[in-house]
Amino acid sequence: MLLLVEVARPLALFLLASQIAVFAFTAFVSFQWSVWAQLFARVVWPRLAAPAALVDARPARFAQLVGFVISAPAVIAFAVDLDVAGYGLTALAVGMAAVTAVTGVCLGCRLYTLTRRRQA
């Protein structure tokens, strides 16, 4: 059992850190050239019919920023042995992603539209 913990924890931290890198690249550099966007563009999109209209990328890019802001402190918390905070922040990020996957409602995108309305 201890061997499993010694293997699983570094692997889990690596996976969390790699997703944080994807969040950061997507939020700060380019949504179009992110890993998941490229995978979608090369594998899924060719099998779909042409879209009637394209949507604005700013809400989705803001959602990636929200994911980064929640997940980056999580990996830092794990690194300094604040596991409860790390698990809580990771659960929040995974929960938001699960809501999007199950319902199609992007909570980060909704937050973007709420903040834009307040600014206007």
Side-chain angles (χ1 to χ4, degrees):
M1 182 68 164
L2 290 175
L3 180 62
L4 183 62
V5 170
E6 292 301 316
V7 171
R9 183 176 176 96
L11 178 62
L13 288 176
F14 170 76
L15 291 173
L16 180 59
S18 64
Q19 182 57 48
I20 291 168
V22 170
F23 281 148
F25 182 83
T26 305
F28 299 115
V29 180
S30 171
F31 191 82
Q32 178 182 357
W33 291 104
S34 70
V35 172
W36 305 123
Q38 286 298 304
L39 183 66
F40 179 81
R42 296 170 195 273
V43 176
V44 178
W45 203 348
R47 292 170 175 77
L48 300 175
L54 297 177
V55 297
D56 186 11
R58 289 178 292 184
R61 194 167 178 178
F62 182 80
Q64 295 292 309
L65 177 65
V66 170
F68 174 77
V69 167
I70 292 172
S71 300
V75 80
I76 293 168
F78 282 124
V80 296
D81 288 329
L82 295 173
D83 288 352
V84 173
Y87 285 125
L89 291 167
T90 303
L92 179 61
V94 169
M96 290 177 72
V99 167
T100 303
V102 171
T103 66
V105 175
C106 174
L107 297 176
C109 300
R110 296 287 177 136
L111 183 61
Y112 176 82
T113 57
L114 287 173
T115 58
R116 294 298 294 176
R117 280 189 198 146
R118 287 193 175 185
Q119 289 176 357

